[in-house]
Amino acid sequence: NAGVTQTPKFRILKIGQSMTLQCTQDMNHNYMYWYRQDPGMGLKLIYYSVGAGITDKGEVPNGYNVSRSTTEDFPLRLELAAPSQTSVYFCANRQELWIAGPGFGSGTRLTVV
Amino acid sequence: TQLLEQSPQFLSIQEGENLTVYCNSSSVFSSLQWYRQEPGEGPVLLVTVVTGGEVKKLKRLTFQFGDARKDSSLHITAAQPGDTGLYLCAGAPGNQFYFGTGTSLTVIP
């Protein structure tokens, strides 16, 4: 989905470091999501947002924070990185139609050492 | 506890064989989606099913939504190596959007 852009594509962090994964969209969708995916597994929802200024926790929010100051941007913050946060992170957006499924960015592969 | 459970988790078959992947939940969904994901890429939407009992076909792929809208299946006829990938069902109980546990399919030439 060219409408969702994630940066960086790859990152190595040391234990205890912090970083922000950037996600921006050019499709003006109110719904945005952050997922993490471990090898060969499905996606687990970290946080989601239904519009600027509104965020909520998903299945696995511990160790992460998000903000949604604009419709376009939905950054994911990792504080005090831990090896368990080694994963691929996907940002997605979605239309406000009940039958619509999310469209995804290309992902950020994060390794914590 | 996973909201959407898929089976099998792994599947390795020979080219030309048929297969079925199942997606089950104890919750009712207004719609379910199926995605396919290739290594290093994000999931790509294949189909959305919205009506209980609905059957949708996409070339050699047949998708079915259970009558009670709690489960779905994906059937692939005459699998080809290009079908190899991770298949994910997904749905939204409310504003969240959850994915199933995934089925990793390998089709051997």
Side-chain angles (χ1 to χ4, degrees):
Chain A
N1 184 343
V4 177
T5 303
Q6 291 183 239
T7 57
K9 291 191 182 299
F10 303 93
R11 183 71 186 268
I12 298 174
L13 277 183
K14 293 185 178 180
I15 294 171
Q17 287 185 322
S18 300
M19 77 164 293
T20 298
L21 281 67
Q22 301 293 343
C23 175
T24 189
Q25 63 156 344
D26 60 3
M27 303 171 76
N28 206 37
H29 292 336
N30 278 325
Y31 287 48
M32 295 190 77
Y33 304 84
W34 273 106
Y35 295 90
R36 59 172 288 170
Q37 185 178 33
D38 297 327
M41 304 298 288
L43 284 76
K44 289 193 179 292
L45 181 64
I46 306 172
Y47 270 95
Y48 67 99
S49 170
V50 299
I54 306 170
T55 63
D56 208 345
K57 296 177 180 179
E59 302 169 274
V60 290
N62 292 343
Y64 307 94
N65 276 299
V66 293
S67 60
R68 187 91 183 273
S69 57
T70 66
T71 299
E72 292 76 20
D73 299 307
F74 190 39
L76 177 71
R77 178 80 177 164
L78 278 72
E79 304 283 0
L80 299 175
S84 61
Q85 293 178 304
T86 294
S87 191
V88 180
Y89 291 84
F90 288 101
C91 179
N93 66 359
R94 179 171 167 239
Q95 295 182 47
E96 292 173 60
L97 302 173
W98 61 277
I99 62 171
F104 286 83
S106 56
T108 295
R109 184 176 297 275
L110 175 67
T111 303
V112 181
V113 297
Chain B
T1 304
Q2 284 283 138
L3 186 65
L4 292 164
E5 293 281 351
Q6 288 183 237
S7 62
Q9 185 177 358
F10 299 98
L11 196 53
S12 182
I13 62 171
Q14 295 290 327
E15 182 176 1
E17 292 184 346
N18 302 331
L19 66 114
T20 302
V21 177
Y22 299 93
C23 173
N24 293 288
S25 177
S26 58
S27 299
V28 176
F29 287 84
S30 55
S31 66
L32 277 179
Q33 282 79 17
W34 283 92
Y35 285 77
R36 178 169 170 264
Q37 185 181 23
E38 297 194 26
E41 304 289 331
V44 175
L45 180 66
L46 294 174
V47 77
T48 299
V49 286
V50 299
T51 306
E54 179 179 6
V55 176
K56 278 192 173 179
K57 292 192 175 184
L58 187 65
K59 297 183 180 178
R60 294 176 293 101
L61 278 61
T62 301
F63 304 86
Q64 186 162 6
F65 201 11
D67 291 340
R69 293 185 288 126
K70 292 183 178 182
D71 57 271
S72 182
S73 64
L74 158 61
H75 182 79
I76 301 179
T77 302
Q80 299 178 359
D83 295 327
T84 293
L86 181 67
Y87 289 83
L88 298 158
C89 64
N95 293 323
Q96 306 96 323
F97 203 89
Y98 292 108
F99 281 79
T101 48
T103 295
S104 180
L105 171 65
T106 301
V107 182
I108 303 166

